[in-house]
Amino acid sequence: MAALAALAIAVPAAHARGGVEASSVDDNIRVEPGKVTRLTVTCPKGFFALSGAARPTPAGVRLLTSHPRGNQRKWTFRFGSTASEETTARTVVRCGNLDVPRGRFENVRLRFSAASFREALVEDGETTRVKTPCPGNQSVTGFGFDLTPKDRGAS
């Protein structure tokens, strides 16, 4: 995921009047025992989904996916459960927009895009680096991931 540097360039000038608008959207989902459950959170109209996170998850629940979903306003989560009973997973998505005063600036835009990079296999207890080359004039604002449980296959 990446947002164009137009955000970083325009923010200091736009801060005098207007600026970056930010909000967070919280959502919850019931996760059934032994199931994989998907939740897509949508930012308000006019805002981009910049990043998403799961609040601390209950025992037996694992966050498997956290990434933007096609539409620039959406962020998708996927939870797997080995818990013995139904539980609740809680999420938060950070949304942002650039409020540029009319008449003061010409052609200032916030552009947002999501990008996928090569797959990296990371074993339990290990770490690895993955370069995230952004297209020209873009900056990384967050990250996403997608895990496939070994014993369940893709879901």
Side-chain angles (χ1 to χ4, degrees), residues 107-150:
N107 298 320
V108 175
R109 295 180 189 178
L110 173 64
R111 293 191 298 169
F112 177 86
S113 64
S116 295
F117 303 102
R118 72 176 178 86
E119 188 175 291
L121 177 62
V122 183
E123 297 294 332
D124 287 343
E126 299 285 321
T127 61
T128 190
R129 279 183 195 254
V130 177
K131 278 193 159 194
T132 54
C134 290
N137 296 326
Q138 292 189 3
S139 300
V140 173
T141 62
F143 69 93
F145 63 89
D146 193 1
L147 303 176
T148 301
K150 289 180 184 176

Side-chain angles (χ1 to χ4, degrees), residues 42-65:
T42 303
C43 289
K45 187 173 183 174
F47 284 77
F48 296 95
L50 299 174
S51 64
R55 305 265 186 201
T57 55
V61 175
R62 184 171 183 187
L63 179 62
L64 302 173
T65 296

Side-chain angles (χ1 to χ4, degrees), residues 32-87:
E32 295 180 38
K35 302 272 183 166
V36 173
T37 305
R38 182 184 313 268
L39 170 67
T40 298
V41 179
T42 303
C43 289
K45 187 173 183 174
F47 284 77
F48 296 95
L50 299 174
S51 64
R55 305 265 186 201
T57 55
V61 175
R62 184 171 183 187
L63 179 62
L64 302 173
T65 296
S66 175
H67 61 71
R69 176 90 179 178
N71 179 311
Q72 297 171 347
R73 294 174 48 206
K74 296 181 179 186
W75 197 274
T76 293
F77 301 92
R78 196 168 49 101
F79 295 92
S81 176
T82 58
S84 59
E85 56 188 48
E86 187 176 274
T87 187

